[in-house]
Amino acid sequence: MPTFKGYLETLKEIMHMPLTTADPEIPARRVTADYCARHFKTPPRNVTMLTRDFISDSLYNPAYGYFSKQALIFSPQKGYNFGEFRDSADFLSTMGRQYEEIEQELDDVRSIPRQLWHTPTEILKPWYGYSVARHIAQQYAEDRKNGVHNGPLVIYEVGGGNGTLMLNILDYLREYEPDMYNQTEYNLIEISPKLARQQLSRHASSSTLHGNARIINQSILDWDKHENRPCFVVAMEVIDNLAHDVVRYDYQTDTPYQALVHVFDDGEFEEIYEQVYDPLIREYLATRAQAAKKYRSPAQSSRLYRKLRSQLPLAPNLTRAEFVPTHAFRFVQVLGKHFPRHRIVLSDFYKLPDTVPNAVSAPVVQTRFDGTMVPCTTYLVQPGWFDIFFPTDFELLLQMYNHMCRTGASAPLGPARVCSQREFARKYAELSKTATRSGENPMLDFYENNKFLLS
């Protein structure tokens, strides 16, 4: 397949591309992330793969993936007493010192530095988890009252991290909703074997053991069991790490082209393009067109702009890149097919700083070196060493979710809605528990770049 790039664009890329010693005559095998997980213990070379496979392999490969080897979730031994802090800055200073101490301990005992990151579940525990539990409990009670739900409270959590959210939700239900707790089934679906083992250990060593919880080491994208009962699906800070594909459009025809990553025999990378033939990308683009009829990718310019641009000398024939959330799309497909009577509780980033430049819905690619976060300007980085996470267009996600999951038998559940982190906290959180002495409140003021999708 030919590569579709303009002369100036190609020249610019060459000027910024590391020199490669690879032999261009060596043929490259076409592989997937699943194939790499089964066959490679080190990052492969002389291969090509779709962008989503490259990103998924970089993050989740069991032998060298970022979440398998490098990543650790910051988790203080016990929740903070926010009333002891003067203000949010005082709290951040204390948390920063603890963060540095843990990093130093890790670096002292390992020859390779590990990467730490934090989540609202951990730094606002147990109150953040309690707010999620309160939302679920209120919705469950309302559904029972309206005859929508007459069975046990069934919860599926996707990507449970350290298992903190599971424990906080179950602790809340046992203390404040004991009748509801006694008929609760909690299922935690975790792709990472390391995190699944950690969750099992955390649950077993908890002072409040819950006999109604089970941990399933599996990717939600491969889920094939049918759950026909009404249930809640909880996904907190999950879809930002679901792999995306890269699409660019022909300036004249709007024909989409999919990106492939070519890994040379010396470990260098090249991005090449071919017309979209991948079934998942094609299905995503078709469903987006049906669900969001007024949506037009920011990468696609107006007809007038395209006409003017085409008359410029050496104008490129493809638009800038758009990262399309094919694995998040697959996740919604799984929900619609295998959890037809579910309600969703999903939260994630809707905007991020320091994203890869000159692309639509681009990710943040970063690693931590010597205590400093280092952002990158490309996703074409050594697999396993970098976190790659994406913002979510919640308004577009809402339209696609309602189109895919709120039709037919699930229509009586009503359409989903989007709200901000602050709106969710004001409605469901016990804000007095996270207020500092100055009145500043991390539950309201932190993670302002997060939104919720609720149904």
Side-chain angles (χ1 to χ4, degrees):
M1 286 286 184
T3 299
F4 292 82
K5 294 180 180 178
Y7 172 77
L8 291 178
E9 181 184 12
T10 304
L11 181 61
K12 182 179 179 181
E13 290 181 3
I14 291 174
M15 291 175 65
H16 290 86
M17 184 181 295
L19 293 176
T20 175
T21 59
D23 184 350
E25 300 302 320
I26 298 177
R29 284 182 296 168
R30 189 73 168 262
V31 297
T32 64
D34 288 340
Y35 182 89
C36 293
R38 294 193 305 269
H39 293 90
F40 294 113
K41 300 300 181 184
T42 58
R45 299 187 177 188
N46 294 328
V47 296
T48 61
M49 61 186 91
L50 287 165
T51 298
R52 72 168 181 268
D53 287 306
F54 177 79
I55 294 174
S56 185
D57 185 57
S58 298
L59 294 176
Y60 300 110
N61 186 285
Y64 52 80
Y66 175 81
F67 287 108
S68 302
K69 295 298 180 183
Q70 300 299 324
L72 292 173
I73 303 172
F74 173 71
S75 181
Q77 289 186 347
K78 60 180 182 179
Y80 296 106
N81 183 351
F82 289 89
E84 294 180 349
F85 298 106
R86 181 184 65 254
D87 51 24
S88 294
D90 186 25
F91 166 63
L92 285 174
S93 178
T94 299
M95 189 179 75
R97 287 194 299 270
Q98 294 177 345
Y99 207 85
E100 290 176 2
E101 290 170 1
I102 295 174
E103 277 195 324
Q104 187 59 50
E105 289 175 8
L106 291 172
D107 292 350
D108 287 345
V109 299
R110 294 178 173 88
S111 58
I112 299 176
R114 300 292 288 271
Q115 310 297 321
L116 273 171
W117 86 98
H118 59 78
T119 67
T121 297
E122 295 292 350
I123 71 169
L124 298 171
K125 68 181 179 184
W127 315 115
Y128 186 83
Y130 279 17
S131 70
V132 175
R134 187 173 290 110
H135 164 75
I136 291 173
Q138 290 182 11
Q139 185 65 64
Y140 175 74
E142 183 180 336
D143 285 347
R144 287 184 67 89
K145 179 181 177 181
N146 295 333
V148 176
H149 203 319
N150 58 7
L153 172 56
V154 181
I155 301 173
Y156 287 86
E157 182 188 352
V158 179
N162 288 333
T164 301
L165 183 65
M166 173 183 69
L167 294 176
N168 292 163
I169 290 175
L170 290 173
D171 286 347
Y172 175 90
L173 293 175
R174 179 157 59 184
E175 181 172 354
Y176 298 103
E177 302 284 352
D179 293 339
M180 197 178 293
Y181 173 82
N182 289 333
Q183 53 176 343
T184 294
E185 300 175 20
Y186 201 104
N187 307 276
L188 197 162
I189 304 169
E190 176 57 62
I191 185 175
S192 165
K194 178 172 73 76
L195 286 176
R197 290 192 298 269
Q198 187 171 322
Q199 291 154 5
L200 284 167
S201 175
R202 179 91 179 274
H203 182 229
S205 62
S206 172
S207 59
T208 57
L209 185 66
H210 298 282
N212 51 0
R214 66 172 180 148
I215 296 168
I216 306 162
N217 184 201
Q218 182 181 348
S219 169
I220 186 63
L221 303 183
D222 298 327
W223 189 266
D224 59 359
K225 302 177 184 65
H226 194 71
E227 176 58 90
N228 198 45
R229 298 176 296 176
C231 62
F232 288 82
V233 177
V234 180
M236 315 300 283
E237 295 83 48
V238 170
I239 61 173
D240 62 297
N241 282 124
L242 292 184
H244 287 45
D245 275 291
V246 168
V247 170
R248 296 170 76 179
Y249 305 89
D250 185 285
Y251 264 117
Q252 298 297 320
T253 65
D254 266 348
T255 301
Y257 287 77
Q258 64 190 23
L260 299 173
V261 177
H262 180 187
V263 187
F264 290 98
D265 63 337
D266 64 350
E268 297 295 346
F269 308 106
E270 179 187 30
E271 197 178 58
I272 56 179
Y273 286 86
E274 61 186 16
Q275 282 197 33
V276 169
Y277 79 92
D278 175 71
L280 188 60
I281 299 177
R282 295 180 69 173
E283 190 171 5
Y284 169 80
L285 294 174
T287 303
R288 186 176 73 179
Q290 295 171 3
K293 292 181 170 57
K294 295 183 179 180
Y295 179 85
R296 183 174 177 81
S297 168
Q300 296 173 285
S301 307
S302 67
R303 291 183 179 178
L304 176 60
Y305 179 83
R306 294 203 307 268
K307 183 177 181 180
L308 293 174
R309 189 180 181 91
S310 66
Q311 297 176 17
L312 295 175
L314 303 175
N317 52 6
L318 290 183
T319 67
R320 60 180 172 145
E322 178 187 6
F323 287 84
V324 294
T326 36
H327 273 183
F329 173 68
R330 175 64 185 144
F331 173 48
V332 178
Q333 284 183 319
V334 169
L335 294 179
K337 181 177 181 180
H338 295 297
F339 301 88
R341 301 173 70 189
H342 78 276
R343 289 193 181 278
I344 189 75
V345 184
L346 181 151
S347 178
D348 228 303
F349 307 109
Y350 73 92
K351 62 179 179 180
L352 289 167
D354 300 322
T355 55
V356 170
N358 195 34
V360 175
S361 301
V364 173
V365 182
Q366 64 185 22
T367 191
R368 198 168 181 86
F369 179 75
D370 197 22
T372 302
M373 196 62 72
V374 181
C376 303
T377 58
T378 177
Y379 71 93
L380 298 176
V381 291
Q382 181 69 17
W385 290 93
F386 298 81
D387 193 5
I388 304 173
F389 55 103
F390 295 83
T392 294
D393 183 336
F394 270 80
E395 284 63 40
L396 178 59
L397 174 63
L398 175 66
Q399 294 180 73
M400 297 189 70
Y401 174 88
N402 284 332
H403 177 79
M404 298 167 67
C405 296
R406 284 298 179 261
T407 57
S410 62
L413 294 173
R417 64 190 186 279
V418 170
C419 69
S420 68
Q421 156 71 18
R422 178 179 287 264
E423 291 169 335
F424 184 88
R426 286 196 180 281
K427 186 170 184 178
Y428 298 109
E430 195 172 352
L431 294 176
S432 63
K433 299 295 187 180
T434 53
T436 62
R437 296 198 305 272
S438 71
E440 293 180 338
N441 197 315
M443 182 72 81
L444 293 174
D445 302 333
F446 291 10
Y447 300 100
E448 288 190 306
N449 59 336
N450 279 29
K451 286 185 177 180
F452 277 82
L453 176 70
L454 304 171
S455 67

